[in-house]
């Protein structure tokens, strides 16, 4: 508060005004002020667990050549410059290791952390060449089932009478062998949950987990719905397979201490490698959990104990090499999806033009030479007359970075060129707020660029 100047009664001279400030300030910002050469005295009074009321006195103006160490003269016992040899724990935040790399008052954030890849392996096995005991050798066994094919008239009747009893499920192939080995337990499991499960009529639906004691160890079994049986050998929709794969990932997470999981899938899925690719993509994508900015109990690790997942495929036309390649492709796509989510989820004390450009460079470095990265800075953009682009970027603390990634296959002739463009408008560019809602979510305005960078990583 600036007090008005008053005349001294005896001498008739103006009294120098006394200047003080009172304000509430977060602890992290407090340390920065304390180090300022423009502060000569500072006293504190704690008002909450994370804030203090502070009293500061400005130091006389000094030239830049003066020492940067101010002569503090604390005026109360609450001052951080206490004579005690033990530092104040409440003001030690800057000395503690931060849980993630972020912006500081002196420097912008130069890199963005990526969510680690899931460590669980996914592989395909020929179920017809495997014994039932091999299929049972896992902590969790998932049996995928198609609902029986129905005529149009039957479907209309079922729509009108949802409470109608469901016909007993009929297992075939390796699923039938497994059910017989368990004494019909899978049939009973489907019957007991017939009203909800309806023989797997809805893709991604699942029965409760059944526990069976085998050799003194509890094994868990689960029936997974794959939707209606495809008619006339029609291809299975990707959405159906992705719902099923998401349910598998959820089951592996919800069932604690599951290190291994075997999944039995019918012939219709094994016949096409693209089906396995969709399952792989959705499985790994649903193990994604962004813990970069979480600590303590807020950290969520999906299927933390899971080591290996095997797809037991009933005999199909796809070869084992094709299935393995499809799983690898699906995992790569999931990695791209994960990076896209990371970029959109990142707050902009972390994500700025420099850290986004660094992400592009890292993609190129990890590509094995198939991707090259070119970054145009502010000067390059000015030389090219990119006025509209530069105008948007003027509100940012960091200079614009125009990212150009080029992919060239290592083998074969290049017959076509495809361009993928995405807008990377970051939340640090300032401007007027003319939105009436959703402003806190506008960090997704870089979603276009995030999708392009995710595709490049994939």
């Amino acid at each position: 508060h600036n007090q008005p100047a008053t005349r001294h009664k005896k001498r008739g001279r103006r009294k120098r005004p006394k200047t003080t400030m009172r304000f509430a300030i977060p602890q992290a910002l407090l340390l920065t002020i304390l180090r300022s050469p423009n502060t000569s005295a500072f006293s504190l009074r704690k008002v909450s667990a994370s804030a203090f009321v502070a009293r500061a006195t400005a130091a006389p103006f000094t030239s830049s050549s003066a020492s940067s160490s101010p002569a503090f003269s604390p005026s109360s016992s609450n001052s951080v410059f206490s004579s005690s040899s033990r530092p104040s724990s409440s003001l030690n935040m800057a000395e503690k290791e931060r849980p993630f790399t972020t912006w500081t008052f002196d420097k912008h954030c130069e890199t963005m952390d990526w969510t680690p890849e899931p460590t669980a392996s996914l592989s395909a096995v020929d179920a017809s060449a495997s014994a039932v005991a091999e299929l049972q050798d896992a902590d969790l066994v998932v049996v995928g089932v198609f609902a029986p094919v129905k005529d149009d008239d039957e479907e209309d009747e079922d729509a009108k009478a949802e409470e109608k009893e469901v016909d007993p499920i009929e297992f075939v192939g390796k699923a039938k062998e497994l059910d017989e080995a368990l004494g019909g337990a899978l049939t009973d499991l489907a019957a007991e949950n017939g009203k909800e499960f309806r023989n797997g009529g809805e893709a991604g639906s699942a029965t409760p987990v059944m526990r069976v004691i085998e050799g003194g160890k509890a094994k868990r079994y689960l029936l997974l719905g794959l939707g209606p049986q495809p008619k006339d050998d029609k291809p299975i929709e990707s959405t159906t397979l992705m719902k099923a794969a998401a349910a598998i990932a959820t089951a592996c997470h919800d069932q604690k201490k599951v290190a291994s999981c075997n999944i039995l899938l019918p012939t219709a899925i094994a016949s096409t490698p693209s089906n396995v690719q969709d399952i792989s993509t959705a499985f790994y994508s649903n193990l994604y959990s962004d813990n970069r900015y979480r600590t303590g109990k807020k950290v969520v690790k999906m299927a933390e104990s899971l080591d290996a997942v095997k797809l037991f495929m009933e005999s199909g036309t796809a070869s084992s090499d094709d299935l393995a390649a499809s799983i690898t492709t699906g995992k790569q796509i999931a990695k791209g999806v994960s990076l896209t989510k990371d970029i959109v989820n990142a707050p902009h004390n972390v994500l700025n033009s420099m850290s986004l450009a660094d992400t592009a460079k890292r993609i190129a470095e990890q590509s094995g030479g198939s991707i090259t990265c070119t970054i145009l800075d502010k000067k390059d953009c000015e030389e090219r007359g990119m006025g509209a682009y530069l105008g948007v970027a003027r509100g940012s603390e960091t200079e614009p970075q125009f990212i150009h990634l080029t992919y060239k296959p290592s083998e074969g002739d290049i017959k076509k060129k495809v361009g993928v463009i995405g807008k990377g408008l970051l939340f640090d560019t300032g401007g007027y707020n003319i939105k009436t809602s959703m402003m806190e979510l506008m960090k997704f305005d870089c979603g276009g660029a995030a999708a392009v960078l995710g595709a490049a990583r994939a």
Side-chain angles (χ1 to χ4, degrees):
H1 301 279
N2 291 326
Q3 299 176 354
T6 58
R7 289 189 175 277
H8 200 278
K9 292 183 178 180
K10 293 183 178 180
R11 300 184 181 178
R13 292 181 301 177
R14 280 187 175 273
K15 186 178 179 181
R16 183 184 296 273
K18 184 179 179 182
T19 303
T20 61
M21 281 191 303
R22 290 187 179 92
F23 53 92
I25 186 169
Q27 296 177 20
L29 182 57
L30 177 60
L31 290 173
T32 301
I33 295 178
L34 289 176
R35 295 191 181 106
S36 171
N38 296 321
T39 306
S40 66
F42 207 103
S43 62
L44 307 172
R45 180 167 60 84
K46 192 170 183 177
V47 293
S48 74
S50 60
F52 296 79
V53 169
R55 182 181 178 93
T57 303
F61 175 78
T62 56
S63 66
S64 59
S65 61
S67 170
S68 60
S69 301
F72 289 103
S73 55
S75 57
S76 77
S77 59
N78 290 329
S79 171
V80 294
F81 297 98
S82 172
S83 59
S84 172
S85 59
R86 183 178 179 180
S88 171
S89 59
S90 62
L91 298 176
N92 254 354
M93 294 181 62
E95 298 176 7
K96 296 180 181 179
E97 184 179 353
R98 294 180 180 273
F100 58 91
T101 305
T102 184
W103 167 93
T104 68
F105 287 100
D106 300 321
K107 196 173 185 180
H108 59 266
C109 187
E110 295 182 333
T111 185
M112 181 196 74
D113 295 333
W114 296 2
T115 297
E117 301 173 30
T119 57
S121 64
L122 181 64
S123 59
V125 179
D126 186 359
S128 59
S130 304
V132 173
E134 185 179 351
L135 175 60
Q136 292 176 285
D137 187 21
D139 297 325
L140 176 64
V141 179
V142 179
V143 180
V145 293
F146 283 114
V149 178
K150 295 182 179 180
D151 296 332
D152 294 338
D153 294 339
E154 291 179 319
E155 291 180 356
D156 292 339
E157 291 178 4
D158 287 347
K160 295 177 182 178
E162 292 184 359
E163 301 298 324
K164 182 181 177 182
E165 286 292 328
V166 180
D167 296 332
I169 193 170
E170 294 183 7
F171 294 104
V172 296
K174 191 62 68 174
K176 183 178 181 180
E177 294 180 30
L178 178 61
D179 186 38
E180 292 174 351
L182 295 172
L186 296 181
T187 300
D188 293 341
L189 180 62
E192 291 171 2
N193 300 277
K195 187 175 294 185
E196 297 80 12
F197 186 59
R198 304 193 69 82
N199 291 343
E202 182 180 352
S205 60
T207 63
V209 171
M210 175 182 68
R211 294 176 181 266
V212 178
I213 305 298
E214 300 174 358
K217 184 179 179 181
K219 299 291 182 70
R220 286 166 274 190
Y221 293 85
L222 175 73
L223 295 180
L224 173 66
L226 300 176
Q229 178 78 33
K231 295 181 180 179
D232 304 324
D233 296 329
K234 289 183 178 179
I236 305 173
E237 295 183 0
S238 294
T239 53
T240 297
L241 297 168
M242 289 188 171
K243 287 179 181 179
I248 294 171
T250 301
C252 291
H253 173 70
D254 292 342
Q255 298 300 313
K256 305 304 179 185
K257 296 182 179 180
V258 170
S260 57
C261 176
N262 290 343
I263 305 162
L264 180 61
L265 297 173
T267 303
I269 293 178
S271 61
T272 309
S274 62
N275 292 341
V276 180
Q277 178 180 311
D278 290 337
I279 291 174
S280 176
T281 300
F283 172 76
Y284 282 113
S285 292
N286 281 275
L287 292 181
Y288 172 86
S289 182
D290 190 353
N291 293 308
R292 295 172 299 166
Y293 314 115
R294 296 172 179 163
T295 57
K297 296 181 180 180
K298 294 182 179 180
V299 174
V300 178
K301 295 183 178 180
M302 295 294 294
E304 185 176 7
S305 59
L306 186 63
D307 293 327
V309 176
K310 291 182 180 179
L311 303 177
F312 282 76
M313 317 292 290
E314 295 274 17
S315 56
T317 57
S319 66
S320 58
D321 291 340
D322 290 339
L323 294 177
S326 298
I327 290 174
T328 301
T329 301
K331 186 176 183 179
Q332 286 296 119
I333 294 174
K335 286 171 60 178
V337 173
S338 173
L339 179 61
T340 298
K341 292 178 179 179
D342 279 350
I343 294 172
V344 173
N345 287 341
H348 287 284
N349 56 325
V350 172
L351 186 64
N352 53 61
S353 60
M354 306 304 290
S355 55
L356 189 64
D358 176 73
T359 297
K361 293 174 184 176
R362 289 167 62 188
I363 293 172
E365 291 171 357
Q366 297 178 10
S367 69
S370 60
I371 294 178
T372 57
C373 178
T374 302
I375 306 291
L376 303 182
D377 59 16
K378 179 182 178 182
K379 182 178 179 182
D380 296 327
C381 294
E382 287 175 345
E383 292 175 351
R384 286 165 173 77
M386 300 166 63
Y389 175 80
L390 291 168
V392 174
R394 277 182 182 168
S396 175
E397 177 191 27
T398 58
E399 291 190 354
Q401 304 288 298
F402 191 89
I403 302 169
H404 183 202
L405 293 172
T406 304
Y407 167 77
K408 292 183 180 179
S410 57
E411 299 178 357
D413 297 330
I414 299 176
K415 299 179 180 179
K416 185 183 294 185
K417 293 184 179 181
V418 178
V420 185
I421 302 172
K423 181 184 69 174
L425 186 62
L426 303 176
F427 205 58
D428 65 345
T429 51
Y432 290 108
N433 177 13
I434 59 174
K435 296 183 180 296
T436 57
S437 63
M438 238 173 56
M439 181 50 99
E440 74 282 3
L441 301 177
M442 281 308 294
K443 61 192 178 95
F444 60 40
D445 212 10
C446 64
V452 173
L453 292 176
R457 189 191 186 196

